[in-house]
Amino acid sequence: MKRTVFRNRWLPYALVAPQIVITLVFFYWPALDSVRLSLYRASPFGDRLIFVGWGNFARLFADAAYLRSALTSVVFAFLVTLIGLVLALVLAALANARIRGLAVYRSLLLWPYGIAPAIAGILWLFIFHPSYGVLPYVLSFATTYQFNWFLKGWVAMTLLVVAAVWKQFGYNLAFYLAGLQAIEASVLEAASVDGAGPVRRFLAITFPLLSPVTFFLFTLNMTFAFFETFGLVHSVTQGGPGDATSLLVYKAWKDGFENLQLGVSAAQSVVLMAVVIGLTALQFRYAEKKVTY
Amino acid sequence: MARVLERAAGVTVARARGRRDRSGLVAHAILLGSVVVLAFPLYYALVISTQTVGEATSLPPRLLPSTAMLDNYVQAWQRAQMGRLLFNSAVVALAIAVGKIVISMLSAFAIVYFDFRGKQLVFWMIFVTLMLPVPVRIVSTFEVMTRLGWVNTYWALTVPLMASATGTFLFRQFYRTIPDSLAEAAQLDGAGPLRFLWSILLPLSTANIAALFVILFVYGWNEYLWPLMVTTTVEMRTAVVGVESLVPRGGSQLAEWNVIMAAAIMVLLPPVAVIVLMQRWFVKGLIESEK
Amino acid sequence: MRSCTPRSLLAASLLGAALVAALPGPAVARTEILWWHALQATLGERVGEIASKFNASQAEYEVKAIFKGSYPETLNAAIAAYRAKQAPHIVQVYEVGTQTMLSSGAILPVFQLMKDHNVAIDWNDLIGPVKTYYSSGGNLYSMAFNSSTPILYYNKDLFKKAGLPDKPPVTWDEVEAMAKKLVAGGAKCGYSSAWPSWVIMETMHAYHDQPFADHANGFDGLATTLKINGPFGVKMLELLQRGAKEGWFTYNGRLNKAEANMGGGECGIFTTSSAYIGNLTKTAEGKFAWGTAPLPHMAGFPRGNSIIGGATLWVMKGAKPEEAKGVAQFFKYLASTENQAWWATVTGYLPLTQAAVKAMEASGVYTKNPHLKTAVAQMNAAKTTPNSQGLRLGNYGSIRDAIEEQMENVFAGKKTAKQGLDDTVAKSGDILKEFAALYK
């Protein structure tokens, strides 16, 4: 369809100018500068620079601490995403019925979206507190194992995963509910007439039909876990105990702003950029293909 | 044959109806259970914020509210300078929401309703920003802020976050669904493009704007890494970062959890309230941003 | 009521202006001095107090103490401000940042400042480790402010429960023996420590006159390699590795996270900064009795001295002459015996001069709170050797990370002490060489 356009020479430029200017100054300039800095070793005051080319990257990938951080981030992201999606999907499937008040439930489930990850972390930090948290207290009736997240890396990781999943849960659930409600009942009825049991129906029909939603939520949760959980780590564990919860985002910030190793931090930022590009490319490539009929 | 089918259909319908009744109960139970579990941390935080330190740190945990509420909230207010922090967050969240909406509307309008040299380039430039989240720009951002002299200013907290792709794409998507006839009619009437934008597109966009507002307000309020980097004084900190300063690092200081929870509650209420009050638009916004 | 005519308004304002002009006011505006610091809560209040006291004691200068966040945040803020040509006059930097500041070219050394403005401070009266840590070639570069050193704490109640006499351990062998008894007596943790690298590696090497890094721990040129994988370092870590395995040593995390365990009454023997006294007094009040003692010594090694932690005040370049003069006057005020004694008493940090120590003794502070004397006594009991002057390490933050990473591996039994220390030396060598390369 031919679109009507306005004929005006300078107006469109004026209209996009604010966005372009801000984008150039605050997105491209720092991003390119990060790339530039990643090729240097810099002094804390920034007054001395030594060109090292790939040196920072080589050192990163040879550094056990960095590789551990990468693994931690990947594990964290997958845990948050998979647990979040499975939980939301199962509950949405069980709750998918023609009931009144779905909108009310939705608003009662979506509000954690408004809580910053850092705040969610603080709330759960207290619940997990080894000395007076309600969770270790309840667990102490079942086992004598010390669930001390100050000391045990996996407990600290669990704390962060729980806080992140909790925050995202309503969001995931809402999307799955919407997706399920959009599936025509007739398709499922036909299947049940054919003799398929509920589980079979779910696996063979519902789940594939939900794949766009699943895919969307998958990339969303992964991106969230990789790039928006800095506040969570900074306010709760500060990467600890040791570096058990040192996510890539946190480590990049710490090396730059606490240890004042600007070049190394910039290199870590560049690696993160590559991850984002990968995730975004994946999203668009896959979303292009028709996922279902 | 028809009779068999009829009977089968009837059985299916009956079975379905029965299933629906039972599954209705199950659905309510599941959803109610989810609501309760989801709300528990918030409820618990609220309860703690009404207790004294002794009560908050004693075992077994007390799950019922106590009487120290006013005291705790006053303490949190004073110690963390909550008034200032909340003000900062409000300024930031509103500025970002409004700024982003205005800027993306204008850009989307230009992209959809004009043909100009470099349009493709502009489009891709905006698109690429999706791949440049904050963590990718951290060290150099501080550099840039220093060069501009913007460290510790509201400018640093708001302007850099006012341009990104999501709003632009949302409006672009929306404008493309608007019938061409409207634009044609406007042109025939002799109305200029800005007039068209103001009198016709804008009123049509209110739903989208409301939806975006909710999402952007929450986003602006809850930003953490950016404010942490570009502000270094307590006066310019935002609320979310400020609460964190009440939580003692290391273990040597006794954490006053009741005060910390009071502060956390004060900080999370505004964005949650915005979501709850504007939830219809919020849901619309979520769905729109999926596309 | 008569309405406000323009004439009556004019009359009123003229009268008002005349009244204001007649009021006594400052003849000359005070020169403002900006002081960025990282002390929160009570300590932050004390900082404000001393600034106010200085301001009240004279009429030329006004020191404004501004809290900028944690130590790393304050340092970052100072660097950014300096690069934007808006540096504060005084900035408080933690010991981790010492080499960074020294190499930066952005500071005015304190001894130079004092010389320029003819302000005399008796440098020789400074307590040994305090003076040497921040001096180069015998000259003080930054003003010691809030210094502390590690000491030993012990839980008297747990000692009693384990059947141990109220006598703290003096040697590491005694630490082991007592810790074992403490655990047998029901203590959750026999011995633990906060600041793992600072106490167990850095301080212990100095305390036993062992070199920590080359180039005289960085005092003689930029350090390029650590020396902690020698016999002492290995023996120290092997002891604690065994302790972790046998259960009498509990590793409770980096930074000062372990202080929560001591404060919670879990640990029988504990080592951490002397600055912890204030917090422990509050936390343990009514819960358990505790005492302090000098650090334990390992048999078979010589004696050195403990080193300083905490922060100092650095003067940033670019101050105008009157402002620099004000800074000099402020430092002189801080260094006075009376103010030293006051600061040390209310904060628990070390007094910097022997004169201040004597004043505190005379005024009975140490009788009332004997714990405050432990650290001073510990430092005065030994002579400061070249190996115990302190540490100047570039990228110190990353070095500590590297050390603690391997310490954790050793304590968890994943590596032998020798292997862990060798790996530490290898990794930190890269970090140090990097820094040195920048300043060749």
Side-chain angles (χ1 to χ4, degrees):
Chain A
M1 180 175 77
K2 189 190 181 301
R3 273 222 80 86
T4 315
V5 291
F6 290 91
R7 307 209 173 287
N8 204 310
R9 296 296 295 279
W10 57 268
L11 187 59
Y13 294 106
L15 290 171
V16 296
Q19 180 137 15
I20 294 296
V21 167
I22 294 182
T23 303
L24 279 173
V25 174
F26 299 106
F27 280 77
Y28 286 100
W29 179 9
L32 290 172
D33 207 42
S34 279
V35 175
R36 183 190 66 94
L37 252 182
S38 71
L39 303 173
Y40 287 83
R41 297 262 163 83
S43 68
F45 271 78
D47 53 330
R48 308 283 184 110
L49 292 169
I50 300 183
F51 181 75
V52 291
W54 297 119
N56 286 333
F57 293 98
R59 190 146 77 80
L60 271 185
F61 291 114
D63 182 7
Y66 181 73
L67 295 174
R68 263 202 315 274
S69 174
L71 183 66
T72 306
S73 295
V74 170
V75 168
F76 176 74
F78 270 97
L79 281 176
V80 169
T81 306
L82 291 178
I83 295 178
L85 291 194
V86 167
L87 214 58
L89 182 56
V90 166
L91 289 179
L94 291 172
N96 181 36
R98 296 264 141 68
I99 51 169
R100 308 235 321 255
L102 209 60
V104 176
Y105 279 118
R106 204 177 43 198
S107 68
L108 289 175
L109 289 169
L110 278 175
W111 61 267
Y113 181 89
I115 298 190
I119 304 280
I122 292 177
L123 296 184
W124 281 97
L125 192 169
F126 188 63
I127 294 178
F128 265 74
H129 201 285
S131 306
Y132 21 76
V134 82
L135 193 60
Y137 178 73
V138 165
L139 285 169
S140 67
F141 289 115
T143 164
T144 54
Y145 185 75
Q146 292 281 334
F147 287 94
N148 188 350
W149 70 263
F150 285 133
L151 290 184
K152 303 205 168 84
W154 74 269
V155 182
M157 183 63 121
T158 308
L159 163 58
L160 294 185
V161 170
V162 167
V165 169
W166 175 78
K167 195 197 114 57
Q168 294 285 87
F169 177 72
Y171 189 91
N172 295 332
L173 184 65
F175 268 96
Y176 268 134
L177 270 179
L180 283 170
Q181 302 257 318
I183 294 179
E184 294 201 16
S186 55
V187 180
L188 290 168
E189 302 252 347
S192 72
V193 167
D194 274 350
V199 177
R200 179 96 202 290
R201 274 207 310 276
F202 183 82
L203 290 174
I205 301 180
T206 317
F207 190 68
L209 282 178
L210 282 177
S211 46
V213 182
T214 301
F215 183 74
F216 166 70
L217 287 177
F218 180 82
T219 41
L220 195 96
N221 278 279
M222 288 292 275
T223 312
F224 164 76
F226 259 104
F227 295 100
E228 290 167 52
T229 44
F230 173 82
L232 185 59
V233 180
H234 186 262
S235 67
V236 179
T237 62
Q238 293 96 47
D243 60 356
T245 57
S246 181
L247 300 184
L248 285 174
V249 174
Y250 185 75
K251 189 169 194 334
W253 174 85
K254 183 170 178 212
D255 280 344
F257 283 79
E258 285 201 358
N259 293 338
L260 295 174
Q261 296 201 288
L262 303 175
V264 173
S265 173
Q268 296 182 43
S269 285
V270 171
V271 173
L272 283 173
M273 204 189 299
V275 173
V276 167
I277 293 177
L279 277 175
T280 314
L282 186 72
Q283 185 172 17
F284 276 84
R285 174 78 65 86
Y286 199 43
E288 290 300 293
K289 278 196 235 148
K290 272 294 175 178
V291 190
T292 163
Y293 328 100
Chain B
M1 189 53 152
R3 192 97 66 73
V4 173
L5 279 176
E6 217 178 67
R7 221 168 356 120
V11 167
T12 314
V13 169
R15 214 186 291 149
R17 201 181 295 132
R19 206 183 302 125
R20 215 176 294 146
D21 287 343
R22 243 188 311 130
S23 63
L25 236 70
V26 171
H28 273 288
I30 301 274
L31 287 171
L32 211 57
S34 303
V35 169
V36 167
V37 170
L38 215 65
F40 176 71
L42 185 64
Y43 171 76
Y44 192 44
L46 261 169
V47 164
I48 300 288
S49 73
T50 65
Q51 297 176 345
T52 62
V53 182
E55 289 171 346
T57 56
S58 65
L59 287 175
R62 296 160 198 244
L63 293 179
L64 290 173
S66 179
T67 53
M69 183 160 163
L70 192 63
D71 200 35
N72 290 338
Y73 281 85
V74 167
Q75 264 204 62
W77 185 273
Q78 291 177 333
R79 271 214 253 149
Q81 292 180 272
M82 266 296 154
R84 179 72 201 220
L85 293 184
L86 290 172
F87 175 75
N88 288 342
S89 286
V91 166
V92 170
L94 285 171
I96 289 179
V98 170
K100 226 173 178 171
I101 289 175
V102 168
I103 290 181
S104 19
M105 260 189 94
L106 294 179
S107 297
F109 178 59
I111 289 176
V112 173
Y113 282 99
F114 292 82
D115 268 332
F116 56 97
R117 282 261 300 272
K119 177 155 99 165
Q120 273 298 86
L121 178 66
V122 164
F123 182 78
W124 281 104
M125 275 180 70
I126 296 177
F127 173 71
V128 168
T129 62
L130 279 179
M131 302 198 257
L132 300 175
V134 176
V136 161
R137 307 174 260 145
I138 44 178
V139 173
S140 306
T141 294
F142 195 62
E143 270 288 302
V144 172
M145 290 300 137
T146 313
R147 297 261 193 103
L148 291 172
W150 276 17
V151 178
N152 276 325
T153 61
Y154 285 116
W155 298 111
L157 284 168
T158 56
V159 173
L161 301 177
M162 277 193 200
S164 90
T166 34
T168 310
F169 286 171
L170 210 134
F171 281 117
R172 172 177 171 263
Q173 207 82 330
F174 174 64
Y175 290 160
R176 287 170 95 189
T177 65
I178 296 200
D180 213 30
S181 49
L182 282 177
E184 260 181 53
Q187 278 189 329
L188 287 173
D189 275 349
L194 291 178
R195 190 76 189 288
F196 174 63
L197 176 68
W198 181 260
S199 321
I200 301 186
L201 278 188
L202 193 58
L204 284 176
S205 313
T206 44
N208 272 309
I209 291 178
L212 251 190
F213 178 81
V214 177
I215 296 195
L216 292 176
F217 182 85
V218 169
Y219 162 80
W221 186 278
N222 288 337
E223 260 298 296
Y224 190 94
L225 179 53
W226 190 272
L228 185 69
M229 283 197 305
V230 301
T231 60
T232 57
T233 57
V234 181
E235 287 74 39
M236 289 309 291
R237 280 271 151 91
T238 56
V240 176
V241 179
V243 171
E244 187 265 328
S245 69
L246 282 178
V247 182
R249 298 289 182 80
S252 59
Q253 282 168 282
L254 183 63
E256 297 190 51
W257 290 104
N258 49 341
V259 175
I260 294 174
M261 287 305 161
I265 299 276
M266 281 195 274
V267 169
L268 67 83
L269 273 181
V272 170
V274 166
I275 285 186
V276 170
L277 292 173
M278 297 181 70
Q279 68 122 340
R280 214 175 33 153
W281 289 289
F282 173 55
V283 175
K284 180 174 198 315
L286 285 185
I287 298 178
E288 292 297 318
S289 59
E290 171 192 355
K291 301 204 192 111
Chain C
M1 177 120 147
R2 211 176 285 187
S3 56
C4 297
T5 64
R7 204 183 288 169
S8 57
L9 273 176
L10 181 62
S13 39
L14 279 174
L15 185 63
L19 280 173
V20 169
L23 285 173
V28 176
R30 289 192 186 219
T31 309
E32 196 180 74
I33 298 185
L34 290 176
W35 176 20
W36 288 5
H37 72 91
L39 295 177
Q40 274 181 303
T42 332
L43 291 173
E45 285 168 33
R46 302 285 181 226
V47 169
E49 268 178 65
I50 194 136
S52 308
K53 279 169 45 151
F54 174 72
N55 294 340
S57 74
Q58 42 76 43
E60 283 175 73
Y61 310 100
E62 177 158 353
V63 168
K64 271 214 166 93
I66 305 176
F67 172 68
K68 277 297 196 179
S70 65
Y71 281 128
E73 288 172 347
T74 305
L75 181 55
N76 266 318
I79 293 178
Y82 180 78
R83 294 172 78 177
K85 308 236 187 326
Q86 291 175 340
H89 302 98
I90 309 174
V91 70
Q92 180 195 29
V93 179
Y94 60 151
E95 92 275 33
V96 167
T98 304
Q99 187 62 58
T100 302
M101 296 305 278
L102 283 172
S103 301
S104 66
I107 56 128
L108 182 61
V110 168
F111 79 90
Q112 188 68 52
L113 174 79
M114 298 315 207
K115 213 156 60 150
D116 289 348
H117 297 277
N118 287 322
V119 174
I121 291 188
D122 185 6
W123 303 120
N124 291 318
D125 199 34
L126 290 177
I127 295 185
V130 171
K131 179 165 125 197
T132 55
Y133 200 109
Y134 298 104
S135 299
S136 248
N139 288 317
L140 200 67
Y141 272 65
S142 67
M143 180 74 183
F145 183 57
N146 53 322
S147 304
S148 59
T149 197
I151 56 173
L152 184 132
Y153 297 76
Y154 68 106
N155 186 324
K156 296 194 184 195
D157 290 354
L158 285 178
F159 265 55
K160 212 190 298 177
K161 206 163 103 173
L164 289 165
D166 185 0
K167 216 172 65 72
V170 174
T171 65
W172 278 100
D173 288 332
E174 284 180 19
V175 170
E176 178 173 353
M178 294 189 188
K180 282 184 178 149
K181 280 223 181 91
L182 285 162
V183 172
K188 251 205 230 167
C189 115
Y191 163 68
S192 187
S193 180
W195 306 108
S197 173
W198 183 49
V199 177
I200 298 175
M201 282 285 110
E202 299 163 37
T203 303
M204 280 295 139
H205 271 81
Y207 201 58
H208 295 81
D209 200 20
Q210 303 292 312
F212 193 83
D214 65 346
H215 290 289
N217 288 348
F219 275 72
D220 213 2
L222 290 171
T224 56
T225 177
L226 294 186
K227 292 178 146 194
I228 57 178
N229 54 348
F232 175 73
V234 174
K235 189 145 187 228
M236 187 76 232
L237 277 196
E238 275 178 351
L239 174 71
L240 293 179
Q241 184 182 46
R242 195 156 45 82
K245 196 157 117 198
E246 293 172 1
W248 54 263
F249 165 67
T250 320
Y251 177 70
N252 274 321
R254 301 191 191 182
L255 298 176
N256 59 345
K257 288 210 161 88
E259 285 174 0
N261 301 82
M262 179 63 194
E266 292 175 17
C267 295
I269 305 173
F270 193 72
T271 46
T272 187
S273 161
S274 57
Y276 181 53
I277 291 177
N279 275 324
L280 185 58
T281 313
K282 243 197 293 182
T283 330
E285 203 172 317
K287 294 211 185 116
F288 60 90
W290 53 278
T292 55
L295 292 170
H297 186 264
M298 173 119 33
F301 291 93
R303 282 196 180 263
N305 207 339
S306 60
I307 53 175
I308 295 298
T312 50
L313 304 181
W314 295 80
V315 183
M316 305 296 286
K317 268 194 199 157
K320 300 207 237 331
E322 327 86 71
E323 296 167 346
K325 183 148 176 246
V327 174
Q329 294 292 343
F330 180 54
F331 282 178
K332 178 163 180 203
Y333 185 78
L334 284 178
S336 76
T337 306
E338 181 195 335
N339 288 318
Q340 278 298 311
W342 173 82
W343 174 256
T345 313
V346 300
T347 62
Y349 283 118
L350 294 169
L352 304 174
T353 56
Q354 301 289 3
V357 174
K358 289 202 191 77
M360 286 168 78
E361 241 165 32
S363 67
V365 171
Y366 289 136
T367 337
K368 253 200 304 192
N369 195 348
H371 300 304
L372 289 177
K373 187 131 197 244
T374 312
V376 176
Q378 175 179 290
M379 282 196 303
N380 277 334
K383 248 170 53 144
T384 304
T385 61
N387 284 326
S388 52
Q389 292 181 97
L391 300 173
R392 298 267 169 82
L393 303 175
N395 286 332
Y396 202 150
S398 304
I399 302 277
R400 266 212 189 136
D401 277 348
I403 296 178
E404 289 176 344
E405 187 189 321
Q406 296 305 332
M407 283 173 82
E408 287 165 359
N409 282 331
V410 170
F411 294 150
K414 292 191 200 158
K415 291 188 186 181
T416 65
K418 183 83 174 81
Q419 185 63 53
L421 287 170
D422 284 343
D423 291 346
T424 310
V425 169
K427 178 146 180 211
S428 50
D430 289 339
I431 299 176
L432 286 168
K433 288 192 187 73
E434 239 179 65
F435 188 88
L438 284 167
Y439 291 99
K440 223 178 295 245

